[in-house]
Amino acid sequence: MKVKKLMLILSILTSCVNKNYTKIENLEKITLPIEVGNAKIIGLGEATHGTIEFAITKSSIIKDLIKNHEFNLLAIEAHNSDVKEINRWLNGGEGDIEILIKGLKYWAFNNYPFLELLNWIKEHNSKSQNPVTIYGIDMQFVQKTIHEPFEYVKNYLPSDSNTFYQLQELDTLALDQLGKKFSNTSLDEFQRIKKSINLALQIVDEHLREDKISDSLAYWHQFDLNNSMNAINMYENDVYYLENSNYINIRDFSMANNLGSIIRKSPESKIIIWSHNFQIKNKGDVMGGHLKEQFGEKYINFCLTTRKGYVTAYDLNDSKENLSNFSLNMNNENTLEQEITKSELPKQFLMDTRKLIDLLKLKDSIFMLDIGAVYDQEVKENNLVITFLNKEYDYIIYLDSTKGYLEQ
């Protein structure tokens, strides 16, 4: 009897010690906070795009949100025109999903957790009354994005008109040469391109009012054309206003607008965002900051970080742009990751950032791992960013040791 009482007391004490965090024993089985059920949008970040455990963790969370919390939209950093074929496959269409993933033209999705997630979603969609749709919300390249709406619009233009010629020229720019071609584009040419996109938007709008086009098709043409306009503005800004370049601001504002557009189209839906920590944070002129302003407590985010192991990325100083594995050791003093190792927290955990700040007695700001797709071997401090943790993120997932994609 005494032994049972002692075990009960120890259990209670252990529960009290651990009440501030959730220890992660298995990356594929993570218990989420109750608050996620009330969210409209959930942002899942990552300190690097090349960490396999981040992909495993995010895939696990996405399955939980779909299965237990009725989330039915997944937004990723890709072009929607590239995602359409994947959606057809998810809903019973034919195709090789590995080839379709490569068609996203983004190496960070070319990993087995993302592949397994799509197979899981396909199975889910075959049985569910609430099937999952994937949206591409990025806009860094315009060639494929504008192809379908331009093909539609050109059917209603004289083939010898200036507008037809301008649309044709923009439509046929090769994707791998796009940046080079725009680097030589004059301000007048940029204005003509934008005028052509605006005219295409007007034609789609007119056809929608006159019932010449379905609501769904018009929506996607408008979606792609607006993305194209944002991309053109971004390239123009980079070419002519580089000293005051706001490439990131334009991109993030566009992605936030795309998400807002998706929600207006499907107001009952709930969205998961697969992105980087920087993009999903609650403050600043970034996607997450715009979403927080619009949706308040209905937007919740999770940042993911790590301390040691390996990461897959491009070498900042390698002009060949080959992906490589880099050794990662976050032993820098005054970093969040180093402060966590000094504590008695477990090797893997999920925690409210406010509680972490209190537990570690952190200052308002602290350095945190921030690699994205590019790693700087020469100046390691460039792989860090200052964060105001509890103001920028709602929850943190910490994994002490991780691997790069090239090790999978």
Side-chain angles (χ1 to χ4, degrees):
M1 191 69 173
K2 289 182 179 179
V3 173
K4 287 184 178 180
K5 285 185 178 180
L6 180 59
M7 291 179 66
L8 178 61
I9 292 170
L10 287 172
S11 176
I12 293 171
L13 287 173
T14 302
S15 176
C16 290
V17 170
N18 295 345
K19 69 180 181 180
N20 288 325
Y21 62 83
T22 299
K23 184 178 180 180
I24 300 175
E25 301 282 3
N26 183 344
L27 295 182
E28 297 184 1
K29 294 181 180 179
I30 297 176
T31 302
L32 296 177
I34 296 174
E35 291 83 354
V36 300
N38 299 320
K40 182 77 173 175
I41 309 174
I42 289 184
L44 300 177
E46 54 195 18
T48 90
H49 283 316
T51 298
I52 198 69
E53 285 82 0
F54 290 166
I56 295 170
T57 302
K58 290 163 81 167
S59 295
S60 170
I61 292 173
I62 290 167
K63 292 175 191 175
D64 189 335
L65 292 172
I66 292 169
K67 186 176 179 180
N68 300 315
H69 300 282
E70 298 182 337
F71 279 77
N72 60 349
L73 300 178
L74 173 60
I76 63 175
E77 292 182 16
H79 286 265
N80 205 57
S81 52
D82 294 325
V83 171
K84 289 176 183 177
E85 290 300 320
I86 290 180
N87 279 317
R88 292 190 184 99
W89 181 86
L90 290 175
N91 291 287
E94 297 183 356
D96 185 327
I97 188 57
E98 293 189 39
I99 292 176
L100 295 178
I101 290 173
K102 290 179 181 178
L104 296 176
K105 304 178 184 70
Y106 188 29
W107 61 269
F109 292 121
N110 193 21
N111 59 75
Y112 78 82
F114 189 71
L115 171 63
E116 193 275 332
L117 173 64
L118 294 187
N119 278 298
W120 184 91
I121 292 175
K122 184 181 180 73
E123 179 68 17
H124 166 85
N125 283 1
S126 69
K127 303 174 181 177
S128 176
Q129 297 297 316
N130 189 29
V132 174
T133 300
I134 299 180
Y135 283 83
I137 57 172
D138 214 339
M139 39 63 76
Q140 296 182 79
F141 301 100
V142 301
Q143 195 269 346
K144 194 169 181 181
T145 301
I146 63 175
H147 179 72
E148 289 185 17
F150 275 11
E151 282 298 302
Y152 173 83
V153 168
K154 285 188 293 186
N155 289 328
Y156 299 91
L157 292 171
S159 60
D160 59 349
S161 69
N162 288 334
T163 301
F164 182 95
Y165 173 77
Q166 186 70 65
L167 295 182
Q168 185 72 34
E169 183 180 46
L170 185 57
D171 190 16
T172 54
L173 286 175
L175 185 61
D176 59 349
Q177 297 177 348
L178 192 58
K180 295 178 182 178
K181 293 218 173 187
F182 278 132
S183 67
N184 297 318
T185 303
S186 70
L187 281 170
D188 286 342
E189 288 172 322
F190 272 121
Q191 293 306 311
R192 285 198 296 273
I193 291 170
K194 289 191 279 188
K195 186 177 180 180
S196 297
I197 295 174
N198 276 326
L199 180 56
L201 277 166
Q202 290 173 20
I203 292 173
V204 173
D205 290 344
E206 288 173 8
H207 287 192
L208 181 60
R209 287 194 299 271
E210 297 169 1
D211 291 327
K212 293 181 178 179
I213 186 173
S214 69
D215 289 350
S216 177
L217 185 57
Y219 172 80
W220 289 119
H221 285 340
Q222 291 164 338
F223 189 95
D224 288 342
L225 288 167
N226 283 322
N227 259 351
S228 300
M229 181 65 81
N230 287 329
I232 295 299
N233 284 331
M234 184 172 66
Y235 280 113
E236 179 185 23
N237 186 83
D238 270 9
V239 173
Y240 288 98
Y241 311 106
L242 191 57
E243 291 184 1
N244 299 309
S245 178
N246 59 350
Y247 177 106
I248 292 175
N249 297 358
I250 294 174
R251 181 185 175 217
D252 277 67
F253 182 75
S254 175
M255 290 195 292
N257 274 353
N258 286 338
L259 286 162
S261 170
I262 293 166
I263 290 173
R264 287 190 295 274
K265 179 177 180 288
S266 307
E268 301 303 318
S269 294
K270 301 171 78 173
I271 302 180
I272 308 160
I273 306 168
W274 181 309
S275 191
H276 188 272
N277 285 347
F278 183 84
Q279 262 70 47
I280 58 114
K281 63 183 183 178
N282 288 324
K283 295 286 185 180
D285 196 8
V286 293
M287 175 176 63
H290 295 299
L291 293 174
K292 199 66 174 180
E293 286 182 5
Q294 292 182 57
F295 299 99
E297 294 181 357
K298 292 294 182 181
Y299 173 66
I300 292 176
N301 65 18
F302 293 75
C303 66
L304 280 70
T305 192
T306 185
R307 183 180 69 90
K308 64 182 181 181
Y310 291 87
V311 60
T312 299
Y314 291 110
D315 186 344
L316 179 65
N317 303 295
D318 179 11
S319 59
K320 296 180 181 179
E321 296 186 350
N322 293 320
L323 282 172
S324 303
N325 262 5
F326 299 97
S327 177
L328 183 65
N329 195 337
M330 293 291 294
N331 287 328
N332 312 60
E333 290 296 327
N334 302 318
T335 65
L336 174 64
E337 293 79 8
Q338 185 65 13
E339 291 299 317
I340 288 173
T341 63
K342 294 177 184 177
S343 73
E344 296 182 0
L345 287 164
K347 298 291 186 181
Q348 299 184 154
F349 64 85
L350 183 157
M351 191 172 186
D352 185 314
T353 56
R354 293 167 298 182
K355 293 180 179 179
L356 182 62
I357 292 286
D358 292 340
L359 182 68
L360 300 182
K361 297 180 172 57
L362 296 178
K363 300 177 182 179
D364 287 343
S365 64
I366 191 167
F367 282 101
M368 181 179 179
L369 179 65
D370 181 75
I371 291 176
V374 179
Y375 184 75
D376 191 339
Q377 287 196 88
E378 297 182 3
V379 185
K380 296 297 178 67
E381 288 75 14
N382 287 343
N383 302 311
L384 302 174
V385 67
I386 293 176
T387 180
F388 296 85
L389 188 65
N390 62 328
K391 295 178 181 178
E392 294 178 344
Y393 305 107
D394 300 302
Y395 295 95
I396 181 171
I397 294 176
Y398 175 78
L399 310 176
D400 188 65
S401 181
T402 54
K403 299 182 178 68
Y405 284 176
L406 297 182
E407 296 175 271
Q408 60 178 300

